[in-house]
Amino acid sequence: MGDSTDRGRERAGDDATECADAGVDEGCQSCSSAGSQPSIYTDTRAAMERRDYAKLFATIGGLTAVGSLTAPLAGLTRVFERSYTGPVYSDGVFLVNGEGERVTEGALQEGERMTVFPEPRPGIERAPTLLVRFPESAYGGETRLEFTVSGYAAYSKVCTHAGCMVSDHEDDTLVCPCHFGKFDPTRGAQVVGGPPGRPLPQLPITLSSDGTLMATGDFEGPVGPGGE
């Protein structure tokens, strides 16, 4: 009987030592009895619960972060709205590059081209615009010279055949990679090869007082397929 009592006291002392090592109050409920359950700091089941809580908090944090994007993403609804049929440009709308910076007169050298957009970017699927620059004497044919400025001309980048982006070129000729429609930017983007039935519509542009390019109206014709 005395031996079992001594062994019980030794176990209680060992438990108290373990609690002290774990940083738990020596007078806690779990350490007052030799037959009590382990502390939550040493019980593996409690550790699992803590991991579950961590996952829960991480999930909540992630949802909060996504929620914080709701407002700005909602603001882009019109930008990506494919059914938008309003004007792409209007008088006084500035041309901007892919980073949203306004395009200045010195942006291109003669023979160069770049993709630009209307600053507010309405109807993004119809907004990409090809800006080209050539010597003023190079323009002729169906080019609307009153729509050009400082050697710059601008045309819709949306192919009039199937709506692909006219993103390639062969020398000075603009080429659509989908069905190899070809357009001459110095002749009003007239079709010079492939299946398109009409030229890329031209955008009237001018220079603002601070030397940046802006539109003076919308494209002269329908953007993309159709509109024959």
Side-chain angles (χ1 to χ4, degrees):
M1 183 69 172
D3 291 342
S4 62
T5 302
D6 290 339
R7 285 195 297 271
R9 288 173 179 170
E10 287 173 1
R11 289 178 60 190
D14 290 340
D15 287 345
T17 301
E18 289 177 6
C19 285
D21 290 341
V24 183
D25 253 345
E26 291 183 4
C28 72
Q29 182 75 22
S30 62
C31 298
S32 61
S33 169
S36 63
Q37 294 296 321
S39 162
I40 62 170
Y41 294 92
T42 58
D43 188 358
T44 56
R45 289 172 297 176
M48 184 67 73
E49 290 176 2
R50 291 199 303 278
R51 285 195 296 271
D52 291 342
Y53 281 128
K55 290 178 182 177
L56 175 61
F57 291 142
T59 301
I60 293 173
L63 291 174
T64 301
V66 171
S68 67
L69 294 174
T70 301
L73 287 178
L76 293 176
T77 300
R78 183 178 175 186
V79 172
F80 294 96
E81 178 53 63
R82 301 187 67 83
S83 62
Y84 176 73
T85 57
V88 180
Y89 287 89
S90 59
D91 186 18
V93 171
F94 289 94
L95 278 59
V96 297
N97 60 22
E99 285 70 48
E101 301 167 338
R102 292 182 178 180
V103 180
T104 63
E105 184 177 6
L108 296 179
Q109 299 298 314
E110 290 180 351
E112 294 181 336
R113 66 198 59 76
M114 68 184 295
T115 301
V116 296
F117 305 87
E119 193 169 44
R121 296 192 174 187
I124 194 68
E125 80 282 359
R126 300 190 305 127
T129 305
L130 282 168
L131 184 68
V132 299
R133 192 176 196 183
F134 295 97
E136 293 184 359
S137 59
Y139 290 106
E142 301 299 316
T143 305
R144 298 283 297 272
L145 295 178
E146 69 274 23
F147 286 3
T148 66
V149 63
S150 296
Y152 284 100
Y155 302 98
S156 169
K157 190 174 182 176
V158 185
C159 185
T160 53
H161 174 240
C164 299
M165 294 297 109
V166 181
S167 55
D168 292 344
H169 65 91
E170 294 176 358
D171 297 324
D172 293 336
T173 302
L174 305 175
V175 181
C176 178
C178 290
H179 304 97
F180 301 103
K182 298 181 180 181
F183 306 88
D184 185 347
T186 64
R187 296 292 183 270
Q190 287 291 314
V191 179
V192 292
R198 62 186 177 88
L200 301 173
Q202 189 174 353
L203 179 73
I205 57 175
T206 190
L207 283 172
S208 67
S209 59
D210 64 356
T212 53
L213 289 165
M214 68 179 186
T216 60
D218 201 3
F219 289 109
E220 63 169 341
V223 171
E228 299 289 350

